Amino acid sequence: MKYKHPEFRYMIVGLVSFVCTAVLVIIQSSNIDSELRLAIDILAPVLFVMSLLIPVMAKAFAYSEMFSLFAPKNFSPQYAVNQYGLHGRIKGKYTFLDAVSKACAGNFEEAYLLYTRCLSKAEDKRLRAACYKDMAKNLRRMNNNILLLPYMLEACNEFPDEIMFFDWVADYYLWFDKADEGEGHQWYRAVINSKTDDRIKAKAYYYLGIFDLYHNNYSEAEENFENSYRLYSPPPCYLCIDIAVCKAASGKYDEAREYAVQAAAITDSDDDIDYITEKMNYLFKAKNGEINPETEKLVNELKRRREYRSVNSVKTEHLQRINDSLMSK
């Protein structure tokens, strides 16, 4: 079924109002008796004013904070406008607001189509950034949210210093079971070689280090982790503990303990402490100068999971073809 344009119902209201006004003009100009003409003369100004106001009111009921009676309870058009600075006349703004409304109502598939429709015609940078951000925020619960990947990659290219878009794509390539690992590795390298800011490059180095660690490439992982450590200010605890794991897996136990202690010292989060404790239990079981077998066991398990998932990996080009087919319906 072909998807209706979000402005369709408001166009119909405006068209009906115009037709009513035109009919009144035709009747007034024809030869009718004086009593009927008097009634039409009284009615005509009222209908003319209503033909101007009804389309405006139709918009108001959809997009005004005061009149949005039929919108979801958790949807505020004015809040969305203020949040993203979408004041004034912007091409595609009402399509975006319709998308937000659908997302707030839990209709994620329809919201997705509206977001993508908005992006296809939006030229204003504010609206494009708002659309990408709202997709990333609201459509995580959508079935097949993997289809967002091509748009999040576009967002990274358009807004390279927006860490929200980087985090979405980075998390996808590292944790999603159908992510293509080789494609992800190339993307992290492209981010590092781009002109983005240091905090994003630091994260890219960290994710590359995780990739290498899962494949037992300890020297490469150590190099990427240390590049990340150098760019961070200050380094986060999860980076320090993963450097510790990498050092321990290479038999550098004294250095591993130093980074593990640093990780514990720079956080007060209960979740982080549990995470650090779990990994430290592996690190400090070393008894000799060989690779810690407990640490290696952890790394090998992580690697096994990645290899299992890679069998069903999906490339971005496949997702783009699916998106193109959806938009053509």
Side-chain angles (χ1 to χ4, degrees):
M1 184 179 69
K2 189 173 179 61
Y3 187 78
K4 289 184 179 180
H5 192 283
E7 300 289 314
F8 178 76
R9 57 186 180 276
Y10 309 120
M11 180 185 70
I12 294 299
V13 171
L15 184 61
V16 169
S17 298
F18 174 79
V19 170
C20 290
T21 304
V23 169
L24 280 174
V25 171
I26 293 171
I27 293 175
Q28 259 194 321
S29 60
S30 60
N31 294 322
I32 53 177
D33 60 59
S34 57
E35 290 184 2
L36 182 57
R37 178 174 293 279
L38 178 62
I40 291 175
D41 287 343
I42 295 172
L43 187 61
V46 176
L47 289 178
F48 176 73
V49 172
M50 288 182 65
S51 71
L52 297 177
L53 290 179
I54 287 175
V56 175
M57 292 299 294
K59 283 282 189 182
F61 273 101
Y63 302 119
S64 167
E65 184 76 13
M66 293 176 61
F67 300 108
S68 56
L69 303 178
F70 306 106
K73 296 297 183 183
N74 58 342
F75 169 62
S76 168
Q78 196 58 47
Y79 176 81
V81 168
N82 291 336
Q83 181 183 14
Y84 297 115
L86 301 178
H87 302 285
R89 189 175 182 83
I90 303 174
K91 182 180 178 181
K93 181 170 77 171
Y94 294 127
T95 306
F96 170 70
L97 291 176
D98 274 340
V100 179
S101 176
K102 295 296 184 185
C104 289
N107 191 343
F108 302 118
E109 279 68 28
E110 193 169 348
Y112 171 73
L113 291 174
L114 285 164
Y115 283 124
T116 55
R117 191 179 296 275
C118 176
L119 285 169
S120 69
K121 63 181 178 180
E123 299 172 355
D124 189 284
K125 283 288 187 182
R126 292 171 298 168
L127 180 57
R128 294 189 67 80
C131 210
Y132 287 131
K133 288 179 180 179
D134 229 66
M135 290 175 78
K137 180 180 69 174
N138 285 333
L139 299 186
R140 286 187 177 274
R141 292 174 290 161
M142 181 182 80
N143 293 331
N144 299 321
N145 65 3
I146 187 177
L147 294 177
L148 268 64
L149 178 63
Y151 292 100
M152 292 298 102
L153 287 169
E154 287 179 11
C156 288
N157 290 332
E158 287 187 46
F159 306 95
D161 292 333
E162 280 284 354
I163 203 161
M164 177 183 189
F165 304 142
F166 171 85
D167 283 342
W168 197 102
V169 178
D171 286 345
Y172 167 82
Y173 279 129
L174 189 61
W175 305 119
F176 194 74
D177 58 358
K178 289 184 173 60
D180 186 272
E181 194 169 279
E183 187 179 273
H185 198 281
Q186 292 176 358
W187 181 75
Y188 290 124
R189 282 292 173 198
V191 170
I192 289 169
N193 294 328
S194 68
K195 296 181 179 179
T196 189
D197 65 30
D198 284 349
R199 61 183 180 148
I200 291 180
K201 287 184 179 180
K203 283 196 167 191
Y205 273 122
Y206 169 72
Y207 285 117
L208 277 177
I210 292 292
F211 270 126
D212 289 327
L213 184 63
Y214 289 173
H215 288 86
N216 301 84
N217 299 324
Y218 301 126
S219 60
E220 291 86 348
E222 188 174 340
E223 181 181 354
N224 283 314
F225 283 146
E226 287 177 351
N227 282 330
S228 178
Y229 187 92
R230 175 175 51 82
L231 291 172
Y232 264 117
S233 180
C237 71
Y238 60 81
L239 171 59
C240 293
I241 197 63
D242 284 323
I243 294 177
V245 170
C246 185
K247 297 279 190 183
S250 300
K252 302 175 182 178
Y253 304 120
D254 290 337
E255 293 180 53
R257 287 181 176 85
E258 290 178 9
Y259 280 103
V261 170
Q262 184 179 347
I266 60 179
T267 184
D268 56 3
S269 165
D270 290 340
D271 291 338
D272 287 342
I273 291 295
D274 291 341
Y275 174 73
I276 293 168
T277 301
E278 181 182 359
K279 289 199 172 184
M280 286 174 74
N281 287 336
Y282 286 98
L283 295 179
F284 296 152
K285 289 179 180 178
K287 299 295 184 183
N288 50 46
E290 299 177 359
I291 291 178
N292 183 346
E294 294 296 333
T295 302
E296 191 172 38
K297 186 190 300 182
L298 169 64
V299 172
N300 285 334
E301 172 60 17
L302 295 172
K303 178 185 176 183
R304 185 194 65 78
R305 293 179 189 178
R306 293 296 299 180
E307 290 175 345
Y308 174 78
R309 292 171 178 174
S310 67
V311 175
N312 299 313
S313 65
V314 178
K315 291 186 178 294
T316 306
E317 60 190 45
H318 300 154
L319 301 177
Q320 189 60 57
R321 285 200 291 271
I322 295 173
N323 280 322
D324 291 342
S325 66
L326 287 173
M327 293 299 292
S328 64
K329 289 182 180 179

